[in-house]
Amino acid sequence: MSNGQSGAGKPLLECNDLCISYFTRAGEIPAVKDFSLQLYPGESVGIVGESGCGKSTVAMAIMNYMGANGGIVGGSIVFDGRDMASLSPEELRQLRGGDIAMVYQEPMAALNPSLTIGKQLMEVPMFHENISATEAAARAKQMLADVNLPDPDRVMAAYPHQISGGQQQRVVISMALLSHPKLLLLDEPTTALDVTVEAGIVELIGEISAKFGTSMLYISHNMGLIKDTCDRVCVMYSGEVVEEGPIDTVFNAMSHPYTRGLFGAIPLPSADKRSHPLVAIRGQLPLPHERPRGCNFGPRCDFFDAGRCDAGDIPIVDGAHAMQRVRCVRWQEIDWASHRPDVTVRPEEPAGEEVLAVDEMRKYYTVHDRSIKAMLSGHSVRHVKANESITFNARKQETVAIVGESGCGKSTFAKVLTGLETATDGKIDFDGVDISHVPVHNRTPKQLGSLQMVFQNPNDTLNPSHTIGAQIGRVIKKFGVETEPAKIQQRVMQLLDAVKLPRDFMWRRPRQLSGGQKQRVGIARAFAGNPSMVIADEPVSALDVSVQAAVTDLLMDLQRENKTTLLFISHDLSVVRYLADRIVVMYLGQIMERGTTEQVFAPPYHPYTEALLSAVPIADTSVTKKRILLEGNLPSVLNPPTGCPFETRCPRKVGRICEEERPPVIEISAEHRIACHIPLEELAKAEPVIQVGKAAE
Amino acid sequence: MIVLLAKRFGGMVLTMLTVSILLFLLFETNIESVATKVLGPYSSDEQRQIWLEKEGYFRPLYIRYFEWLGNVVTGDFGESVRFKVPVGDVMWDRLANTAILGAAAMAVIIPLSLLLGVLAGMREASKLDRTISVLSIATTSVPEFASAVLLSAIFVFWLGILPGTSSMTGGFNLVELILPALVLILYDFGYVTRMTRASMAEVMTTGYIRTAILKGLPYRTVILKHALRNALIAPFTVIMLQFNWLLSGVIVVEFFFAYKGFGALLLEAALNQDIYLVEACAMVAVFVAVATQTIGDVGYTYLNPRIRFN
């Protein structure tokens, strides 16, 4: 985080009443309205908002890159004293990549697949400073070292697909920094990365602003990341900034109902599913051409005052704190202290009998290496150990979370459970029957119905050419719940009621639904056969923050009503902490730690759990975290370490024993297990990673 | 890279061998029919038996196959029934003629369609793009026989500046090459243009082109250095397929202009039951198909490093 002196000197970037529109067949669609921002040298400002709020559009407008159908329809952008609209194409070219550089969301897509990284880096100084190729190569190499990439020579010669996602993003960042830009635009730079990799990039971004004094505009949907990287923040909703101010002010003394709603909807450490449940923002984001008159947030706001909030455009006004601005006509009237949002407090219910017992389950995939070398050495058949000795159980009405980064085998496990794959070895007892070797087409309708799945991306899981009613109805029939058409229809309506969708959605097709609504249909489908267990594979990670809480809520309510066991697969520890009763932490196909939520989130930790907890950004300024950064990349599943899988990246590695022997499973209590070579007494000495209540750093 | 080349080459040889076996089984399993084809339908049974005995046809099939294969590899395809000369003497000339025609057509098609395709795809939905797209669809939709008639009507009968036949009786004549080449170009360039355009348009929407533009590179560099190479991967494969078409798919054009090419030869041979000539032509056609595909594969790997380094 920089120490930019806000308010001092001349702003580097000024957006004045900026309005940006896209022109489509349906007419002019305003993407951003009335956007004003002053960014001072050395300062980092965050723009936070949900999808479609216009945050990326602002970045692209600053770069003057809006495509053929986009354009600035009002206001101005002044960069370093120059009005961007007055620049000639050549001046604009010099500005792009020279004075303003950008880091993108998908590093793999942002790099040219058929040019070496060296060539792509060298272009920047060669075209901006007219230096020779050798000098450019030297500069590029230096910059790669500056962004902490090991072995810059190798990276220079590599093609983008030959390095990992985190390394690619470091390359993109070094490319942006090569001509020493004054302003760096970061558009969701870590969204596509794993959480431990993200932590490294966030750290790097902080170092950059300290080292080069670059101003930054950091665009993200993640409040926690904004807190970790920025000095000030603009909260956008539906094309407008609804609130802006310094981080501390916006995070602790927010005045706009939307900002308040957002913080209520994200699972902070203070939230608890029973005593302090999340408060969902009702409704959904309006589409750009369906925005209401007056306040865009009006239809979803608890403080909506007809006649004032929908009277006309709402201006942004100074708030109660220094540099705080709010776009709300009622912000001074709302008494937040006595505001008690309508939440259902859920009593604790004891878990019932065991529903699922996984015992030493293994899933290996066979890979045939057809190279001559492999054939000669006799290693032509190799195994990908997607799941290795998985052992855990789940009880009735309990929520068990499986946590881990991409490639940890959590989705493979879901496939084996649902029968899409069969286990290589071991047992999976579900409702008293071993299903580890029963593929999905051999399962009885009863078995199918009682073990269902909610998928990550609701857009892909619904058939676009069938109505919602037909899709749910088909499942009801398939599972043998009902057979008569009239009863099926009745059951469909019951399910729609249960997931809080209007009954006439029966006749709609998926394209007429929003993402959150589609996920509700996905949940209705999963619950159609009265399942005793539902596997939810990242069910909310594709949804917007304000919708996430509502869908999570719904899942929990259905779980309670049906006494369902929920197996929640996620990479997001914040959601897991909020939702889960017990947690299984996986790394490279193996269980590193398992225990109740309290046990996993408190010492003793497995070193990997510790690093994971440290990496999760938390949008709470009162939280302090121990900083643990993981070095290196996830090892290849084809060639995993022989000893402890985490050995290559472990900051607390003991020594040779970690490389050579599989770690023993330490039984700390009946529920809590850690697989590690470090003795328990050592592990127990660790301090909690997340501490609430201490003063911010 | 060497391993890859060796693999591809091995695959090519294997394909050729498989085709040769199929071809041999198809044509020479029934030796009676071979004798009938060579000696004609009016030959007596005795004549055929004597001929078969003389040519060693009563030996086992596999021995005959290997002998035949050895001859084919050394370029000895037997004697043409119709022309009464070694097959090679007839075929190589015809192949050369077709190669000339194909080369002339390709020399225009490749640069023209790549240029037009890139120009059109560079700025999708621009006026230039629409003009080029309409032009290429229009020309591609006119079949060869129609454009041949049309062009002849204009240049031969109306303007009278080009000859209507291209039999090349007086040796190689460039003027005679123009019309057949033009028909081929008109028919084919639109197809390749559209492929290139689609590929280019897709590349222009990718993230790395945005990166290149926002890096502050001049537009020329963005196109030439970043877009072209990625955009050429798809059309490259398409162009390689055009060689097959030019070899044997241009029978209509060759017949229309009385051009003594390979496609016309294959058709004549088939009509005349000229068994050894058909075998030879088939082997050559397959060889060209397999060879262009191999070149295509290797070139594809060169253009696309994601395949090269895996």
Side-chain angles (χ1 to χ4, degrees), chain A residues 160-182:
Chain A
H161 70 278
Q162 293 173 312
I163 59 175
S164 73
Q167 290 175 329
Q168 286 167 356
Q169 194 60 296
R170 282 174 195 268
V171 167
V172 174
I173 292 174
S174 69
M175 188 187 287
L177 291 175
L178 262 171
S179 268
H180 304 298
K182 294 173 185 159

Side-chain angles (χ1 to χ4, degrees), chain A residues 490-517:
Chain A
Q490 203 180 352
R491 174 88 183 129
V492 169
M493 287 194 281
Q494 276 173 6
L495 282 166
L496 285 175
D497 290 346
V499 296
K500 300 186 178 104
L501 287 177
R503 286 189 170 186
D504 67 323
F505 270 40
M506 247 172 95
W507 311 111
R508 295 211 190 171
R509 285 173 210 278
R511 65 177 141 74
Q512 294 164 293
L513 271 58
S514 72
Q517 289 169 339

Side-chain angles (χ1 to χ4, degrees), chain B residues 166-174 176:
Chain B
S166 312
S167 50
M168 306 257 175
T169 37
F172 179 72
N173 186 349
L174 190 67
E176 290 188 10

Side-chain angles (χ1 to χ4, degrees), chain A residues 60 63 65 93 96-98 100 102 104 108-115 119-121 123-124 127-128 159 161-162 175 370-372, chain B residues 3 7 204 206-219 221 225-227 229-230 233 303-310:
Chain A
M60 287 305 168
M63 279 289 202
Y65 184 81
R93 183 187 75 71
R96 288 172 173 172
I100 310 178
M102 191 154 177
Y104 312 87
M108 180 70 188
L111 293 170
N112 192 327
S114 54
L115 292 177
K119 275 190 192 151
Q120 300 189 50
L121 287 174
E123 279 178 337
V124 177
F127 276 99
H128 283 291
Y159 285 92
H161 70 278
Q162 293 173 312
M175 188 187 287
R370 300 202 191 280
S371 74
I372 298 161
Chain B
V3 176
K7 268 189 187 168
M204 289 308 286
T206 58
Y208 56 84
I209 293 300
R210 181 176 71 176
T211 310
I213 293 173
L214 296 187
K215 248 198 250 184
L217 301 184
Y219 199 66
T221 315
K225 223 177 134 188
H226 285 266
R229 189 171 166 157
N230 292 295
I233 294 173
L303 283 172
N304 191 345
R306 270 170 294 186
I307 298 180
R308 201 182 335 156
F309 301 99
N310 251 340

Side-chain angles (χ1 to χ4, degrees), chain A residues 304-324:
Chain A
F304 181 73
D305 184 4
R308 283 171 69 202
C309 293
D310 55 3
D313 286 350
I314 315 281
I316 190 161
V317 294
D318 285 337
H321 298 77
M323 302 188 66
Q324 186 183 23

